[in-house]
Structures are given as C-alpha cells and as structure tokens.
Amino acid sequence: MTLDPRHRFDEWEIILYGMALAYSFEDIDKIYATLRFFTWRAFSFWLLVSVITDALLITAFTLRIVGIFLANEDTAAQFKLESFQVLSCVAPLIWMKIITVFDGFKYIGTMQICVARMLRESGIFFVLLAIVGIGFAQSMYAIDAADGHTDRGGLIINNLIQGLLGSPDFGGASNAWALWIYYFWNIFTTIVLLNILISLFSSAYEDVTDDAAAHFLAFFAGKTIAMIRAPDQFVYPAPFNLIETFFVAPFEWFMSKKRYAKVK
C-alpha cells in the first residue's frame, strides 16, 4: 500500500484535528490561568502530558498540510509519512489520559499520587545519572577520538542508553580501554544508581500509603478546585470552546458587558 500525498482530509482526520485544536485551546487557557493566578509549581503531571500530546498533534497536522501543498510528489509523500509517524506517537499518551477518568475512585487516585510522588522524588537520580553519564560519554568519546576519527558519537550514546536499560552491547567498544570504561558504566548504573532509584520509589510509596486517606482527599479537593473557571460563569468545554473562540469571544471587543454576557 502506497501513500497518496495529495489525499485530502477525510472525516475522521477532520474530527481528530478539530478535537486536538479544541483541547489545545483549553490547555493554553489552563497554562495562562495557572501562571497568572498561581505559580508554575501548580502545574500537574497530566497537564504536562496534555501539552506534549497537543504539541505532537500540531506537529502531525503541520506536516500533513505541508505534504498536501508541496509540488514535489516524493517530498510530499515523505512529509505525509512523517505526519502519520508523529501521529502514531500520540496513541500511548491518549490512552494514558483515560486513567484520569477514573481517578475519582480512591484506589486509582492514590496510585496517581504515588506515581507523581515517585517522579518528584526521583529528581536526585536523574541529576546523578546526567552528571555520571556526561562523564562516561566524554571518556568513551575521547578514547575513540584518540586515533583521529570521531565518527562514533551517536553509537556511544546508544550503547550507554542500552547499558542503562539492561541490554548492554559489549561488542560495540572500539578497543580495550573503551570496553573497561563500559564495564564500569554498567556496574555503576546497575548496582548504585538503580538501587538509589528503587529506594527513592519505595520511600515515596510508603509516605503516600501510610496516610492514603488524607492524601486522596487533598488530591480530590485540588482536582475539584481546578475545575472551577471563576469568574467565567459560562464555560464551554472542549470541543464547544471552538464556538466560543471563533463566534462568541470576538464580540467582547465592541459590546457592552451586559450585552456580551447575554450573547455568551
């Protein structure tokens, strides 16, 4: 099956990108309200997931539009292919967001709190990982560049990541010195760093579960308050916020407050 770069949007794509635009406007409004009335510390994990989802959808839409209007058929087909590839990356994030539908149940809400606390507590792990990773990457790159050739930079980063994820490629070392450095990298990440991460996760989990009821009540209260859109009394949830954005909000500039409130 080949891609037709001139294929226009079908009804499902129109619905998808229409919903994406609506939720992007809603997330922008949330970010603006949070920065205006609160602080960036009020940003939640799910808002970050929403922003990444919106960014990927907008990127896929942009590539799709470029692919339609390009004159060169091969380039247009490549842009359409990349559009669908970027769009495919959105699927895990969208399915992940389904969890928020059920976070009113105590068990699921508590698990969300545990995960959020674990991610917050793991900051020290990622700082140590970044510092140590830069050191080992520089060492292996310098060993490889000693012969005057520096064409293995990407391979070195890939080998370090594979070692961290538990699938080291010891055959990728260029010489004995690089192999020994790679041994030490795997030992350090497996024995030291990963155990630090496990202990941080365990501590965060115990802190939440020891007082789960109070944590869940605070979580539910925060979720409830986040849904309040005061002083806006006429809320248009997505995708109906598109109607407000394009057909209602423009009247605010030249109507009196009383008349605008009646229109809205």
Side-chain angles (χ1 to χ4, degrees):
M1 180 179 178
T2 59
L3 291 173
D4 179 12
R6 303 305 175 196
H7 176 69
R8 300 293 173 172
F9 291 99
D10 57 28
E11 61 274 10
W12 295 110
E13 286 182 288
I14 293 173
I15 294 173
L16 171 65
Y17 289 120
M19 295 291 290
L21 180 64
Y23 280 102
S24 296
F25 283 158
E26 189 172 83
D27 292 333
I28 291 172
D29 181 70
K30 287 180 182 178
I31 294 173
Y32 172 75
T34 301
L35 293 176
R36 181 179 179 184
F37 300 108
F38 305 102
T39 175
W40 63 270
R41 296 181 183 273
F43 288 154
S44 65
F45 169 76
W46 292 115
L47 182 59
L48 177 62
V49 172
S50 297
V51 170
I52 296 174
T53 303
D54 297 336
L56 289 175
L57 287 169
I58 292 172
T59 302
F61 177 76
T62 304
L63 293 172
R64 184 79 167 84
I65 292 295
V66 172
I68 290 176
F69 290 100
L70 278 177
N72 186 281
E73 294 287 339
D74 294 335
T75 307
Q78 181 62 30
F79 270 92
K80 185 177 180 181
L81 175 62
E82 292 179 358
S83 172
F84 282 109
Q85 289 173 339
V86 172
L87 190 61
S88 300
C89 298
V90 182
L93 300 175
I94 294 178
W95 281 97
M96 190 188 305
K97 287 281 289 182
I98 294 178
I99 299 175
T100 60
V101 177
F102 304 101
D103 57 12
F105 297 99
K106 183 179 178 180
Y107 177 79
I108 297 179
T110 304
M111 288 301 100
Q112 284 194 46
I113 299 171
C114 288
V115 172
R117 181 68 66 86
M118 288 176 180
L119 293 176
R120 189 161 58 246
E121 294 292 336
S122 62
I124 186 173
F125 165 79
F126 289 107
V127 171
L128 289 173
L129 177 63
I131 294 173
V132 174
I134 292 172
F136 275 93
Q138 182 180 3
S139 175
M140 294 185 67
Y141 183 80
I143 292 173
D144 181 66
D147 58 357
H149 300 285
T150 57
D151 55 346
R152 293 168 54 89
L155 181 61
I156 290 172
I157 299 299
N158 183 56
N159 286 341
L160 291 176
I161 294 175
Q162 284 186 341
L164 177 64
L165 297 178
S167 180
D169 180 15
F170 295 103
S174 58
N175 53 56
W177 287 102
L179 185 61
W180 276 106
I181 294 294
Y182 196 51
Y183 285 152
F184 285 124
W185 163 257
N186 284 277
I187 292 171
F188 187 80
T189 55
T190 303
I191 297 178
V192 180
L193 285 183
L194 290 183
N195 281 286
I196 291 176
L197 181 64
I198 291 171
S199 63
L200 290 171
F201 280 179
S202 177
S203 175
Y205 181 82
E206 289 179 0
D207 290 342
V208 173
T209 54
D210 286 345
D211 198 8
H215 282 289
F216 176 74
L217 290 175
F219 167 78
F220 193 80
K223 186 177 178 66
T224 303
I225 293 173
M227 293 181 179
I228 300 175
R229 294 279 296 274
D232 191 357
Q233 299 178 355
F234 309 99
V235 179
Y236 290 76
F240 301 105
N241 59 342
L242 295 178
I243 299 175
E244 178 186 19
T245 303
F246 294 108
F247 300 104
V248 178
F251 290 104
E252 184 179 7
W253 297 99
F254 54 86
M255 277 189 177
S256 63
K257 291 184 178 180
K258 183 177 180 181
R259 184 179 292 275
Y260 177 69
K262 187 176 180 180
V263 171
K264 194 172 182 180

